[in-house]
Amino acid sequence: MCGILAIHGLDNPASQRAHAIAMSKRLRHRGPDWSGCFVGKDSILVHERLAIVGVDTGAQPLTNKSGDLALCVNGEIYNHVALRKGLKMPHKFKTHSDCEVLLYLYTEHDTGLCNMLDGMFSFALIDNSRTPSRIVAARDPIGITTLYQGWSSSQPGVVFFASELKALADDCDKIISFPPGHVYDSATGKTERYFNPTWWDTDSTKPVPTTKVDLKLLRETLEAAVRKRLMSEVPYGVLLSGGLDSSLIASIAARETDKVAQELMQRRQRHLLVNGSSTPTHGPEEYPIASWPQLHSFSVGLPNSPDLLAARKAAAFLGTIHHEYTFTVQEGLDALEDVIYHLETYDVTTCRASTPMYLLSRKIKAMGVKMVLSGEGSDEIFAGYLYFHAAPTPDDLHVECVKRVKNLHTSDCLRANKSTMAWGLEARVPFLDKAFLEVAMNIDPVEKTFGKKEYDEDGRPKMEKYILRKAFDCAPDGKAYLPDSILWRQKEQFSDGVGYSWIDGMKEHAEGLVSDEAFAKAEQRWPVDTPDTKEAYMIREMFERLFPTEAAASTAVRWIPRKDWGCATDPSGRSVTIHKAAYDAPEDA
C-alpha cells in the first residue's frame, strides 16, 4: 500500500507543486519510506511509498523511457510477472516493482488493462503525449484499497484524486468515494464499470445460483489466494483473532511459509554448491518471499477476552510465533478520535472494530513488519454474520450477500486498510481474491443457510459458514488445518470478540459525554444519517470536528442491520438471538 495524490487540468502545475506536496503529506503515514513528485504540462502526481516489492528500485511516480507516461499506484499486482511475459512488444523495465507493468499494459491495451490486473490497487496514470494530457484512474474490483475523487468550484475543469479524504478535504467542495471496479478517463469524462463478474447482478433477469458446493475447489482456490498474497520482500505476519476466518488464513499461510522456507533452503544449498556463496541473487522476474524463520501471528483484546484465548489456542496448534497485545477500555477511548481521523467515517460498527485493530497495527509496525494477512470478506461471502439466520428465503440471503460484498469498501475493507495504514502496515485479504469470489459467490445459497438445531451426517452443526468449515475439516495430507474448537467456533464480530466490555465501555462513555438535551436535537443537527444512540452521536461529533464540511460527511456510509428481518438496530453480534455458546443446547433452551 502507498498514498497517491493526482491533480489534473491545471493551468500552471509548476506553481502548484508545493501545495500538492503539502496535500500529500497528510498521507505520509501510508508511505513513510519515500516521497516522489511528477509535474506534467497540466498535471501533478505525488506518491508516498511503502516499500514491499521491488524495495530497492520501485520508487514512484514511475515513468516510461520517453517520459510521456507517469504512474502512481497504491497496492499490489499479484500477477505482474505473468503480465510482463504477456506483453506484445519489448519494453525496457527500469525497476523490479510489481506496478511498472501498468505503464506498458496501458500502451498496448488502453483502459482495458484494468480487467487484466489481479490484485488490490488504486492508480492514476498521466498520458502527456496528448494535448490536453489524459488521466486514467481506477480502483480494484472490491475496493480493498481506498480512493477518493474531488472537484473544486474555484478551479473548474480540475479533478483531484487521493488515497484518503483528508488530502482533499480543504481543497474540494465536492468529494466522492471513487467506486470500486470502475475506471475514470478524462478523454471522455466518464467513469465506467470494468468489473462485471457472473455473480454481480441480482435482478429478476439473473437467476439465483444453483451450483452445489465443491468443497475441494473451495479449499484449493482459497489456498491459491493466500499463496499469491505472500509476495513480499519484507517480513510479514498474520492477524489472528482466533475466529474461523483469520485462523484459516493463518493455517494456510503457515503451510505455505513452511514450503517457501524449504524451497529457499534448497535454493541456497544449490547455489552454495555451484558458486560457493549461500546468498543467491534474483532478477526482475524472481521475487523471493521474505519471511522470518517461522510465521508470526498477532492478536489483540482486553485481558482474557474471547479472541485472545482462542487465538492463543490456534497459534499453539499452528506453531506460529505468537504476539498477544492487551488494551484497556480507557486506552481505546483515548485513541478513538485518532481512529476516526484515519478511518474518515462515522459508522459505529467500523469505529468499534477499528480501534483495537489500530492499536494492534502500531505494535506490529514497531516490530518491523510491513505486511499482514487478514480475514475480511468471509462473512459477507458466506452469510457469516449471525443476523443472516433471519433471512426469509435462500434467495433473500443471496441478494444480501451480494449487497454486502458490493459495499465492503464502506466497512470492513475501509477498516482493514485505514486502521493498518495509519501506521504504514499493509493488510492483504485473500477471501476477496477474484477467482475465489467467482467460486464462492456462485454457490447455491441453500448451502449457506444455517440454523441452531441442524447437524450433518458427521454430527457437525450446520452453523454459519458451514461449507467453509467443512471444506477445511479434512486435509489431503491428513494433517488438520485447525483444532475442532477453532474450526467450529461460533462467529464473534471483531468488536465483540476483543472483549464485550469494549462496546459496553464505549456506550457508557457516550452516556456521560452526550447530554439528553443535545441528543434530543440530533435530527436538527444532522438531518441526514441522524444518530439514533448516544454512542453514534459521540462518534458523529468527533467526525465533524475533524472533517467539518458537507463534502467530507457525504463520503461516509453508515451501516444499519436489516430491520425488515427483525434485526436489532445495534450491530453487535450479541444482539442476535441465535448467539449462543453451544449449538447442542436442550430443546427447551
Side-chain angles (χ1 to χ4, degrees):
M1 294 290 182
C2 303
I4 64 173
L5 174 76
I7 310 174
H8 180 260
L10 295 168
D11 292 332
N12 185 3
S15 67
Q16 297 292 312
R17 185 179 188 276
H19 182 63
I21 290 174
M23 294 169 67
S24 185
K25 281 183 179 179
R26 297 170 189 164
L27 307 174
R28 194 148 291 171
H29 53 275
R30 299 183 64 88
D33 295 333
W34 192 252
S35 300
C37 182
F38 170 87
V39 179
K41 56 189 176 186
D42 57 5
S43 307
I44 300 176
L45 292 180
V46 191
H47 189 261
E48 309 293 342
R49 188 185 188 211
L50 181 66
I52 293 180
V53 176
V55 172
D56 55 343
T57 63
Q60 298 187 34
L62 297 164
T63 59
N64 64 347
K65 184 177 180 180
S66 65
D68 288 336
L69 302 180
L71 171 72
C72 281
V73 185
N74 166 32
E76 308 292 342
I77 309 301
Y78 303 125
N79 63 335
H80 67 103
V81 172
L83 290 173
R84 285 188 183 214
K85 292 178 179 178
L87 290 169
K88 300 173 184 176
M89 302 292 292
H91 298 277
K92 179 66 175 178
F93 281 79
K94 299 179 180 180
T95 76
H96 296 164
S97 169
D98 56 298
C99 299
E100 187 180 0
V101 70
L102 271 68
L103 289 169
Y104 310 114
L105 290 173
Y106 169 76
T107 63
E108 295 187 5
H109 301 279
D110 204 78
T111 59
L113 72 93
C114 297
N115 259 324
M116 303 172 70
L117 304 178
D118 184 7
M120 54 178 187
F121 56 85
S122 298
F123 72 81
L125 185 150
I126 299 293
D127 184 348
N128 263 325
S129 68
R130 302 189 179 202
T131 303
S133 73
R134 179 194 196 188
I135 185 170
V136 172
R139 189 178 182 187
D140 66 68
I142 304 300
I144 302 168
T145 62
T146 55
L147 186 65
Y148 293 82
Q149 184 176 10
W151 299 264
S152 171
S153 57
S154 64
Q155 293 180 280
V158 177
V159 62
F160 299 76
F161 295 91
S163 294
E164 293 186 4
L165 169 67
K166 58 182 64 66
L168 305 182
D170 292 344
D171 288 78
C172 299
D173 45 30
K174 178 184 176 183
I175 306 172
I176 63 168
S177 175
F178 192 86
H182 283 69
V183 57
Y184 169 83
D185 181 0
S186 66
T188 63
K190 293 180 179 179
T191 299
E192 297 181 315
R193 169 164 289 282
Y194 68 83
F195 180 62
N196 294 288
T198 59
W199 52 268
W200 192 260
D201 296 321
T202 56
D203 57 29
S204 58
T205 64
K206 180 72 174 179
V208 170
T210 57
T211 304
K212 297 303 178 184
V213 64
D214 181 334
L215 297 177
K216 180 174 181 287
L217 178 63
L218 197 65
R219 182 182 68 247
E220 291 179 348
T221 311
L222 184 58
E223 288 176 324
V226 173
R227 189 178 306 119
K228 73 177 68 168
R229 281 160 180 78
L230 295 181
M231 179 184 78
S232 175
E233 295 179 16
V234 297
Y236 63 80
V238 291
L239 300 182
L240 183 59
S241 72
L244 173 69
D245 307 329
S246 66
S247 298
L248 276 180
I249 299 303
S251 177
I252 298 169
R255 289 167 175 256
E256 293 299 324
T257 300
D258 287 344
K259 291 179 186 176
V260 169
Q262 294 172 11
E263 291 171 2
L264 289 177
M265 181 62 71
Q266 293 171 0
R267 188 188 306 176
R268 290 190 180 101
Q269 290 173 344
R270 290 195 299 269
H271 195 88
L272 178 63
L273 289 172
V274 174
N275 300 296
S277 168
S278 62
T279 307
T281 58
H282 62 274
E285 294 188 353
E286 183 186 8
Y287 296 100
I289 298 174
S291 65
W292 296 344
Q294 286 178 270
L295 185 67
H296 287 235
S297 56
F298 304 90
S299 65
V300 64
L302 300 175
N304 296 315
S305 65
D307 277 1
L308 284 184
L309 299 177
R312 201 178 298 163
K313 184 181 293 186
F317 181 86
L318 297 175
T320 64
I321 298 178
H322 191 56
H323 307 272
E324 184 177 289
Y325 299 106
T326 60
F327 71 102
T328 66
V329 171
Q330 188 58 55
E331 287 171 334
L333 294 172
D334 290 342
L336 186 57
E337 190 156 332
D338 288 338
V339 170
I340 294 170
Y341 171 75
H342 285 286
L343 290 182
E344 304 172 327
T345 186
Y346 50 74
D347 178 61
V348 172
T349 308
T350 305
C351 293
R352 284 176 176 177
S354 293
T355 302
M357 196 170 191
Y358 170 87
L359 295 171
L360 176 62
S361 297
R362 187 175 191 178
K363 293 282 191 179
I364 295 173
K365 186 59 186 292
M367 296 184 64
V369 174
K370 286 187 175 183
M371 185 272 282
V372 289
L373 300 183
S374 192
E376 277 73 22
S378 173
D379 289 309
E380 289 76 9
I381 296 167
F382 293 103
Y385 293 116
L386 299 184
Y387 81 91
F388 274 99
H389 89 283
T393 68
D395 287 12
D396 290 314
L397 182 142
H398 174 72
V399 171
E400 181 72 1
C401 282
V402 174
K403 178 183 176 183
R404 290 299 302 268
V405 171
K406 287 182 177 181
N407 289 321
L408 270 168
H409 67 288
T410 69
S411 54
D412 284 17
C413 285
L414 182 150
R415 167 178 56 81
N417 183 286
K418 292 183 177 178
S419 297
T420 54
M421 286 302 292
W423 302 106
L425 176 69
E426 176 178 291
R428 297 182 182 176
V429 285
F431 279 110
L432 298 181
D433 179 79
K434 285 199 300 184
F436 183 74
L437 283 170
E438 192 65 24
V439 171
M441 294 299 290
N442 278 307
I443 294 173
D444 188 335
V446 171
E447 307 255 25
K448 299 181 182 181
T449 59
F450 60 97
K452 205 171 78 175
K453 298 296 181 183
E454 298 179 42
Y455 298 85
D456 66 13
E457 64 277 4
D458 298 321
R460 297 293 194 192
K462 298 196 78 172
M463 61 202 304
E464 75 282 353
K465 295 182 283 193
Y466 168 78
I467 56 176
L468 179 62
R469 300 173 194 271
K470 195 68 175 174
F472 287 89
D473 196 28
C474 182
D477 60 6
K479 179 182 176 183
Y481 284 89
L482 291 169
D484 282 358
S485 60
I486 300 298
L487 187 62
W488 298 96
R489 181 191 178 200
Q490 189 181 35
K491 168 69 182 174
E492 293 277 12
Q493 290 179 198
F494 184 59
S495 51
D496 287 333
V498 297
Y500 298 129
S501 297
W502 166 233
I503 291 177
D504 296 338
M506 283 187 68
K507 292 178 178 179
E508 291 169 10
H509 183 65
E511 285 292 332
L513 204 63
V514 180
S515 69
D516 292 339
E517 293 78 12
F519 183 64
K521 298 177 181 178
E523 189 171 5
Q524 298 175 31
R525 184 170 179 180
W526 298 296
V528 177
D529 275 352
T530 305
D532 56 1
T533 66
K534 288 189 175 182
E535 181 189 13
Y537 187 107
M538 173 185 71
I539 290 170
R540 184 66 180 269
E541 192 168 49
M542 288 182 179
F543 177 88
E544 189 176 73
R545 280 200 299 270
L546 295 164
F547 304 103
T549 67
E550 289 186 13
S554 70
T555 65
V557 177
R558 182 177 168 219
W559 182 74
I560 300 174
R562 292 290 300 257
K563 292 183 181 180
D564 57 333
W565 288 3
C567 299
T569 56
D570 190 322
S572 169
R574 286 179 293 163
S575 66
V576 181
T577 57
I578 201 172
H579 186 278
K580 302 290 183 183
Y583 272 69
D584 55 354
E587 289 298 321
D588 59 351

